[in-house]
Structures are given as C-alpha cells and as structure tokens.
Amino acid sequence: MLRDDEGERVPAAVPPYASPGREVAAGLEVDPDVGLSSAEAAVRHAELGANELGAVPPPSVWRALREAITEPFVLMLIGAAVLAIVIGEVRDGLLILVGVIPIVAADVATTYRAERALEVLRQANAPHARVRRDGEPLLVLAREVVPGDVVLLATGDVVPADVRIVTARALLVDRSVLTGESLPERASEAPDAVDVALAERHSMAYSGTSVVGGHGEGIVVAIGVDTEVGLIAGSLGGDVRPRSPLEVELARLVRILLVVAVALVVVTVGLGLVRGNPIGETLLAGVAAAIAAIPEEPPILLAVILGLGAYRLLRRDVLVRRLNAQETLGAIDLILTDKTGTLTANRLRVVSVETPDGELAGTARAAALGEALRAEAEAWDRVRVGRSGAFAQAIHAELTALGTVPELAPEMLLEAEPPSDDRPFARTRCLDEQGPRELALGAPEAVLGLVRDGGGSAAAPDEPLGWEAVVSHRAERGGRLLLLARRADGDRWRPVAAIVFADPLRPEIHDALGLAARAGIQVVMVSGDHPRTALAIAREAGLPDGTLLTGAELQDMDDARLHDELGELRIVARATPADKLRLVRAAAAAGRTVAVTGDGVNDAPALHHADVAVAMGSGTAVAREAADLVLGDDSFGTLMQALREGRRMIANAQKGLVFLLTTHVALLGYILVATLAGFSTPLLPIQILWMEFFIDISASIAFEREAEEPDSMTRPPRRRGVPLLETPILVGVVLAGGFTGVAALALVMGIGGEAEHAAWMAFTTLVVAQVVRANANRTLRTSLLRIGPNPVLLGLGVCWVAVQAAIPHIPPLADAFEAVPLTGTEWLLVAAIALAPAIVAEGIRRTGRTWVA
C-alpha cells in the first residue's frame, strides 16, 4: 500500500482483494507482463523503505559501551569504588575505578565482535524473492521488494509481501502462520467480496505464508509493517527469546554461586564487625568477597564460543539460523538424510533411454526425450519463471546437445499437474499436430499402475522383456529411473520409454560416511528411489549394511516394531515426507537425538520436529525457514564438518566453564577459610579484578580457539539430556579449586615473616595456579601430551606470570597491589603448589578417566 506525502497509509477505495488484478496493477502503475523498471523499483524503495518488520541496527561501539557500563556487575564495582572513597579509602576506590576501564573495554570488544559475526550471519540469512523487472525474471533480496513489484511464486517459496494474485495455475498457499488453518487453500485470480474475512480471501497471498503447490504471479500491494503480519507484529510486545539448555544450565550454576556469594559477604562483614576491625577495611573485604563470588565470565564465554563458532561455520558454507542449535550438534546420534544433492552431486544427466526392445538412439531417442520434456509441468514455465526442476533441466540439456529442443509455447499447454505425495509423477495435457494428448512422467511403478488402470498392458506380447523387466533390470544397476507414458484423448495409456538419469556421488561422501560411523552416528538414507536403486547407491557410497524398508513397509509397521528395528535401519526407499516425519517421531520416542536434511516444502514438518533441522541452500525457502542450519553446498560432507565443529565448540565451552568455576572455587575457598582463620582482608579488590577479568576473560577467548581433540570424532555422541557439567566434573572442580585455596592459605599461615609478604605469596600462588589450570584443562579426558599446544593460551599464560612477577618491581603497582618480591625458593614453592593438581589430573587421565586439574 502506498503512502501520502506525510508518510501515512492511504487506503484504497476498494481493497486490493476485492478489485480485479489488472485494476490493482494499473493503480500501482505497473504492467504485470513487464514488471517495474529497475529505476522505478529503486525510487520506490528509497521512498517507502525496506520490506522488513523491524530494521536491525548495525553493530555499534557506543551501544556496546552503554550496555557494558550498565551491567549489574560493573555498576556494583562503581558503587564499591564510590563507597571506598566516601569512607576514606580513596586509593582503593580510585584503583577500582581504574580497574573498571579495561573490564568495560574487554566487554565492549567482545560484544562488538560477536555482533559483527551475527551481522554477517543475518546478511547471509537474508531471504530472497523472485520478481519480474524490465520484463525479465530477477532474484532480489526480499527486503528490496516494493509495492508494484510482480512476484513470481512457485512451489516452495515463502511469500515476501502481501500480494494480489493475478495468475494462478494450481496455486496452493499454506496460510496457517496467519489464519491458523491447517490445510492449504487454492489461490484464485478472481476478486473476493469486499466484506469477506481475511481467512476467506483467496485472491491474496500474504507475507510469510508458503506456496505448497503450483505456481502463479502477483502484484505486491503492501510491504513491511503495512502487511497483515506486520500489523500483528506491531500490536505485540517485544519478542522474548527462549533460553537454550546451556543457558539454563549456566543460570543454575550462577544462582548457586550467587547464594554462596551472599553468604560469603555476610560472613566476611559480620566477622569483621564482631572482631572490631575498621569499618572501611571490613567493607572492602566484603566487596572483595562479592567480586570473587559473582560469576560474570560464563555468559561472556558462551557468547564468544557460540557467536564466533557460528561465524566459523559460515566460513565452512554452513549458515546457522539459530545459535542454540549448535549446542545440540555434539549430541546427534542419528541423521535422516536425503540422497539427491546430499549424498550425490545433484548434477543429473540423461544416460540412456530404453524400451523392452533395447536402448533408443538418434531420432527415436530425441523424440522420446521431447515428449518427456513436455510431460514435465515445470518445463513449460521455464521462460516466464526462469527456473525448472532437476529432471527437466537434465532432459533439456540432453536435447540441447542433440540439437532438437522442442517449442513449449504456453498456448499449447491445456493442463499441468506436478508430482505430489499421492501421485509421484508429473502429468500434462497439451496440443500437438494430432490434437490434445496426455503425458505422464515419474516413478515407474506409479506410471505402470496408470497403464493398468487405464486398460493397458505393462507387457505386451510384442515386448519380449516387458516394462517391469526394464524397470527391475535398470534399478539393480543404479541410476534414477523415470517412466514416460502417453495417451490420446479417450485412448488408453501406453508406456513410451524408460529414461535413466545418473547423479554421481559426491567425491567426499565415502570419507563423510566413514566419519559418521566412527563417531557413533547412525545414518539412514531416505529416498524416493526404487529399493534396488537405493540399495545400489547406498553400497556404492559406503553406507554400512543394515535394514532396507520401503515407505509402504514402514507404514505397515506399528510403533513398537519400528522402535525395535530403528537401530538397524539404513535405507528407506520409495519414501514420502510423511514417512520421514514418522521416523523423526520414532527417534524422539526412543530417546535419540536426530538431525534431518530436507529441501522441499513437504520436508518442513520433519524439519520442524527434528532436534537439528538441516536445509539445503538450493532447496525451497519453506525448508530454509524451518531449518536450524542451511548447507550452502548441500553436501553431507559439509554436514559432518558442522557436527565436528559442534563437538569442538561444546567441548571448548565445557573446558572454559571448568576453568572459570575452578577459579571461583579457589578464590571462594581461600577467602572463606582465611576469614574464619581471622584474616581481615585476605584479598584486595584490585587483586581479584586482575585475576577474574584480565586473566579469565582473555582465557575464555583463547578457549574458543582451542583445536579439536584427536579422539573427538571417535567418541560416542553426548547423551540426550545429560548436563554439560556432570556431577563427577563438578566434584573435580570443587576438589581442584579447593586444594589451591587451602594450599594458598597454608602458605600465609606457615611462611612466617611479614603478613604482607605472606599474603602476596599466597596471591601469587592463586594466579600461577590459575595459569596452570587454564592450560591443564584444555582436555578433561586424555593426556595433555596427546594434544597440540594452544599458542594463544600458552602465550597469554607466559604474559600473566611475567606481569605477576613484575608488579612488585613497579612502585605504583607494588603499592596498589601491596606486592613484595619473592625469592627463587618461594617461586619454586609457588610452582609446586600450582602444578600439583595438574600432575594428579595427568596421571588419572592416563588411566582413561575424566579429571579436573
């Protein structure tokens, strides 16, 4: 809908759905046969804005800075600094404020980098629309569609805007996202009544709805916030994104530590007041305890690993549409994969045209292929729509090579029906020199059934092999087989030729399937092929032996039997999308974690119910909208690399959390025991800030770069529902962190001499132990000697220890940290305590057990 000079919507005298299509086009100053000119489209886009519900602001350093400063933890630090200054501890207050600056800077840098990565993902995920401009089909970003654009709609498209239908050929639209109606409805070119309800407007296709059958064209009458979906969205509040399982788990751990923090602050302040310590010293001790206990780093770690992990996947040609899906990748133990384009290269070519008398050649071959092209419903719209199906493209390419491409004038087509779930063949009725004629091309069994039902014979006396023998013989040799049949009006159906297509396997498929087998991932090929064809392709690809079922056999199985046989299932032939959905539900009932690949409209239900939905980049927009991941190259090998990357990401998140939580346990243990032992200020706020934010945050970023462990893809998948930090790991965290805290206190109490010297030595022990722990927890299951070094983490560790050693020799820092130099013997003692948990962990891991350093 256009707007007036003040930007207000201008209602039409008669709404578009109640006006003839040509009148709507005239009102928008567009010829439906030509479309807008590119120049006019640019003008309208500049005047009316982008076709989107809400513009996403680009990454902004200032917005990230504002958000970082208003973080509760940062506000607490600023409040603590102000409190310290008010009670006379000016130096400590200023040091806390100075310490806030790099904390905020690190937060801003992390947030901005993550936002940049997500912006790249958003741009890659931008939906497209096919329009006609300057008389030619053109693929544009959906946000660039403008009122008056002629949109070309075909099966699998998501409607980009509110569109008045002007041409509809068996056009079916699923409007459930808008109206709640579960069944798709046929669109119509005829106007609706003015007072008809939205759900009954058949002349409109609304933004966000899906084309599930046929094809058509329409004029865009509303975009963005002016669409029906936009009006609904405008009436709703902000969208609240549900938290992922990992975020829920982190929230649980944070709540536990917050309770401990409150208790520790109460104990620290209470004991200080009871003992008569100075109020300023007591409050600073409470602030230090709170800083040590409140875990701010885990959310940063999660954002870095998932955000940058998604960016890494994008560079591998995998678009992550939902970041939460990455958490599930490491738990996938079952993949339901398509064959065409996923296991194969999706480069169909015609390899032979056969009859019971043998293979056709020359003129007979060209004539059969010409009729096959006319039988493909999509082939007739190749010129207007600008695309056609894979089979039509392969036939067209072969005819082009033969130099005999037939004319497909639209006026010659009387009727066309593309394949559907219940009729796996295309069927057209068209004119030729002898008059009207019907053609059918599709699954051989279905076409032969058509022949029998029409009174014909599948094996005439003059056909020595018979058509069934042709189909069976070819299926055993592999390749995709379609059968062509024809009839004149009023006559019976007669088979014409069996057309054999070859789609070579992807070169990486053997390695990918082998990787899946070693990783404990079951792969089931779900195909529409003949059972013998599917089996031949599976064996050639290297799929392990197992059960082969047809879709019909699957439908005859009850749930109990399917549950029993699911683990041995390898191939489902002659499958329908409903069969794929049933397999997904059966896998869920069996406690399996399943990934599903799909590219068509009818794959959307199975994708929707899968744990990880994987759409093909070349597939329909409907499938991509239902997906968590989109494979740019459609390859199963790329999917396996995504699963591999998912295992690496979650393993790194686990290692990072173990490191961070162990650090907090060590600090909490040290502060708590020292406070109970009578020490008024075990650690200064500036000391804790140095440990938690300069060391912990940089270590979190370094953990994101941690390489995959050698046995990552030979372990079984993580079990469904098992938390990332299981009880044995949490016990290890408490033991390792507790040891460091208690050992540091033992130094304070046993070293003798000045209290400041002993306290600095204890703090140095905590820092060095943290450096060792960061490197020692790069693996939890295997020896450190089996994995390569992490240069970033190793380099950071050297820098941290060097700075710690240098602080006592820089007067301003020495005064702020209350630091004193340590002797060589003292450094050896510090190193021994810091290395002890790592040495124990290394010994236990060599026995095959998981342990925390």
Side-chain angles (χ1 to χ4, degrees):
M1 181 176 291
L2 296 176
R3 297 174 180 264
D4 61 17
D5 293 338
E6 298 180 356
E8 298 296 327
R9 296 179 67 185
V10 181
V14 179
Y17 62 84
S19 301
R22 290 287 173 176
E23 290 185 9
V24 173
L28 290 166
E29 301 178 356
V30 61
D31 180 353
D33 295 327
V34 178
L36 295 174
S37 67
S38 298
E40 177 61 20
V43 170
R44 296 190 185 192
H45 185 270
E47 291 179 351
L48 303 174
N51 176 35
E52 52 193 4
L53 298 182
V56 178
S60 166
V61 174
W62 297 111
R63 185 175 70 253
L65 178 62
R66 182 178 65 252
E67 293 175 354
I69 292 176
T70 54
E71 283 284 338
F73 185 80
V74 173
L75 292 176
M76 184 196 74
L77 288 177
I78 295 174
V82 173
L83 176 63
I85 293 172
V86 168
I87 63 177
E89 301 289 343
V90 177
R91 187 196 66 179
D92 288 320
L94 292 177
L95 285 175
I96 294 175
L97 288 177
V98 171
V100 168
I101 295 174
I103 293 171
V104 171
D107 195 1
V108 169
T110 301
T111 301
Y112 182 74
R113 186 175 180 185
E115 282 191 0
R116 285 290 304 272
L118 291 176
E119 177 65 18
V120 172
L121 294 179
R122 277 193 290 266
Q123 292 176 2
N125 192 34
H128 289 75
R130 193 172 293 273
V131 300
R132 180 179 295 116
R133 289 182 182 169
D134 301 309
E136 297 293 334
L138 180 67
L139 189 67
V140 300
L141 291 173
R143 67 185 305 274
E144 297 175 357
V145 169
V146 298
D149 257 327
V150 178
V151 176
L152 311 178
L153 300 173
T155 301
D157 289 345
V158 173
V159 181
D162 285 1
V163 172
R164 171 61 168 90
I165 302 299
V166 294
T167 301
R169 292 183 177 174
L171 184 64
L172 288 175
V173 181
D174 178 357
R175 303 193 289 178
S176 57
V177 295
L178 188 61
T179 66
E181 294 290 337
S182 59
L183 296 177
E185 297 180 343
R186 189 174 292 272
S188 172
E189 304 168 7
D192 296 304
V194 174
D195 57 352
V196 73
L198 184 145
E200 301 299 324
R201 298 173 189 170
H202 300 291
S203 65
M204 295 290 297
Y206 289 105
S207 176
T209 59
S210 307
V211 179
V212 298
H215 50 86
E217 300 178 5
I219 307 295
V220 174
V221 297
I223 62 172
V225 295
D226 291 335
T227 63
E228 293 294 336
V229 171
L231 296 176
I232 295 173
S235 66
L236 301 177
D239 183 26
V240 179
R241 181 178 63 88
R243 293 192 297 178
S244 71
L246 187 53
E247 288 172 326
V248 172
E249 185 175 348
L250 282 181
R252 178 178 64 85
L253 293 173
V254 168
R255 284 196 300 271
I256 293 172
L257 288 176
L258 284 177
V259 171
V260 174
V262 172
L264 183 59
V265 171
V266 170
V267 169
T268 303
V269 175
L271 285 178
L273 294 176
V274 169
R275 291 168 177 163
N277 295 335
I279 184 67
E281 185 178 281
T282 300
L283 290 176
L284 279 180
V287 169
I291 295 173
I294 297 176
E296 278 291 301
E297 308 96 316
I300 296 175
L301 171 73
L302 184 61
V304 168
I305 287 181
L306 293 185
L308 297 184
Y311 181 66
R312 287 176 183 271
L313 285 174
L314 181 62
R315 295 174 65 181
R316 291 176 175 264
D317 218 7
V318 179
L319 171 63
V320 179
R321 298 192 69 252
R322 297 177 181 87
L323 290 181
N324 296 353
Q326 296 175 96
E327 299 177 28
T328 313
L329 289 175
I332 294 297
D333 61 5
L334 173 63
I335 300 175
L336 303 180
T337 178
D338 293 336
K339 173 187 68 70
T340 303
T342 308
L343 304 183
T344 64
N346 199 19
R347 292 195 296 269
L348 280 179
R349 59 187 180 86
V350 176
V351 295
S352 68
V353 182
E354 301 181 9
T355 71
D357 293 326
E359 184 171 350
L360 299 181
T363 305
R365 177 187 178 97
L369 288 174
E371 289 198 312
L373 188 66
R374 294 188 182 93
E376 278 285 343
E378 294 179 341
W380 290 87
D381 279 320
R382 182 184 180 89
V383 176
R384 286 178 59 83
V385 178
R387 58 179 172 179
S388 59
F391 291 111
Q393 291 178 19
I395 296 170
H396 190 276
E398 181 68 12
L399 286 168
T400 301
L402 295 172
T404 57
V405 179
E407 180 184 5
L408 298 181
E411 61 271 13
M412 296 171 62
L413 181 66
L414 303 177
E415 188 178 355
E417 296 179 353
S420 64
D421 293 346
D422 56 352
R423 193 193 64 256
F425 56 85
R427 185 170 176 174
T428 62
R429 184 167 176 265
C430 53
L431 294 173
D432 64 8
E433 295 80 1
Q434 287 76 39
R437 159 175 64 168
E438 286 188 77
L439 298 167
L441 179 68
E445 299 93 335
V447 176
L448 288 176
L450 190 68
V451 171
R452 297 188 189 94
D453 293 342
S457 170
D462 58 345
E463 297 168 353
L465 293 178
W467 289 101
E468 287 95 342
V470 172
V471 171
S472 177
H473 179 64
R474 282 301 322 189
E476 291 177 352
R477 295 163 57 191
R480 185 65 186 270
L481 188 66
L482 298 184
L483 186 61
L484 172 68
R486 70 179 172 213
R487 72 170 179 178
D489 272 3
D491 200 352
R492 65 181 179 87
W493 286 98
R494 298 175 184 273
V496 175
I499 303 175
V500 184
F501 299 84
D503 185 6
L505 290 172
R506 290 182 176 272
E508 70 275 13
I509 194 59
H510 291 88
D511 292 339
L513 288 174
L515 180 63
R518 293 191 298 274
I521 300 173
Q522 177 186 354
V523 178
V524 178
M525 186 178 83
V526 183
S527 171
D529 285 338
H530 187 282
R532 293 178 179 175
T533 302
L535 181 60
I537 293 171
R539 286 176 174 170
E540 184 183 356
L543 192 69
D545 291 336
T547 304
L548 183 153
L549 295 175
T550 65
E553 291 170 338
L554 184 67
Q555 293 162 20
D556 289 339
M557 277 188 178
D558 58 24
D559 291 341
R561 185 183 170 196
L562 179 57
H563 180 278
D564 293 339
E565 296 199 14
L566 183 62
E568 297 300 319
L569 187 60
R570 292 295 181 270
I571 303 169
V572 181
R574 288 299 187 230
T576 68
D579 297 328
K580 187 183 288 187
L581 176 58
R582 187 172 179 217
L583 289 171
V584 172
R585 288 174 169 164
R592 306 289 296 274
T593 304
V594 59
V596 174
T597 70
D599 57 5
V601 175
N602 292 331
D603 288 321
L607 292 172
H608 177 73
H609 287 85
D611 295 291
V612 175
V614 184
M616 304 298 106
S618 63
T620 63
V622 174
R624 291 195 297 271
E625 286 292 314
D628 302 305
L629 306 179
V630 179
L631 305 183
D633 62 358
D634 298 0
S635 172
F636 184 86
T638 301
L639 172 58
M640 286 307 304
Q641 291 305 314
L643 297 186
R644 186 172 211 149
E645 181 69 13
R647 288 194 178 190
R648 186 193 70 85
M649 282 189 289
I650 297 305
N652 288 348
Q654 183 187 51
K655 298 168 192 175
L657 287 175
V658 165
F659 163 70
L660 294 175
L661 293 179
T662 309
T663 298
H664 279 278
V665 170
L667 290 175
L668 291 174
Y670 176 73
I671 293 173
L672 177 60
V673 179
T675 301
L676 294 175
F679 293 90
S680 58
T681 310
L683 291 175
L684 299 174
I686 191 67
Q687 293 174 334
I688 298 175
L689 290 177
W690 159 242
M691 287 186 65
E692 288 201 1
F693 289 91
F694 289 91
I695 298 179
D696 284 3
I697 289 181
S698 57
S700 298
I701 297 174
F703 269 111
E704 190 278 330
R705 298 176 62 88
E706 186 66 31
E708 174 191 8
E709 293 188 32
D711 61 346
S712 171
M713 293 303 288
T714 58
R715 300 176 194 153
R718 187 162 55 93
R719 297 192 310 276
R720 187 186 185 103
V722 173
L724 194 61
L725 300 181
E726 299 181 70
T727 300
I729 293 180
L730 291 176
V731 171
V733 166
V734 173
L735 291 176
F739 169 82
T740 302
V742 173
L745 180 63
L747 283 179
V748 175
M749 300 180 69
I751 194 173
E754 297 182 0
E756 184 175 286
H757 184 91
W760 177 252
M761 186 173 176
F763 174 62
T764 300
T765 301
L766 292 173
V767 170
V768 176
Q770 190 178 14
V771 172
V772 173
R773 185 173 295 115
N775 286 275
N777 285 321
R778 291 174 49 232
T779 175
L780 301 178
R781 299 171 180 84
T782 187
S783 169
L784 278 173
L785 300 179
R786 289 191 59 198
I787 63 175
N790 182 333
V792 175
L793 197 56
L794 190 61
L796 286 173
V798 172
C799 291
W800 296 330
V801 174
V803 172
Q804 183 73 16
I807 286 176
H809 303 284
I810 303 174
L813 291 179
D815 187 44
F817 279 85
E818 297 184 4
V820 294
L822 301 181
T823 67
T825 302
E826 289 170 337
W827 272 106
L828 288 176
L829 185 57
V830 167
I833 294 175
L835 288 170
I839 294 172
V840 172
E842 180 70 11
I844 295 176
R845 290 169 186 165
R846 284 175 177 266
T847 67
R849 296 170 59 193
T850 297
W851 199 255
V852 174

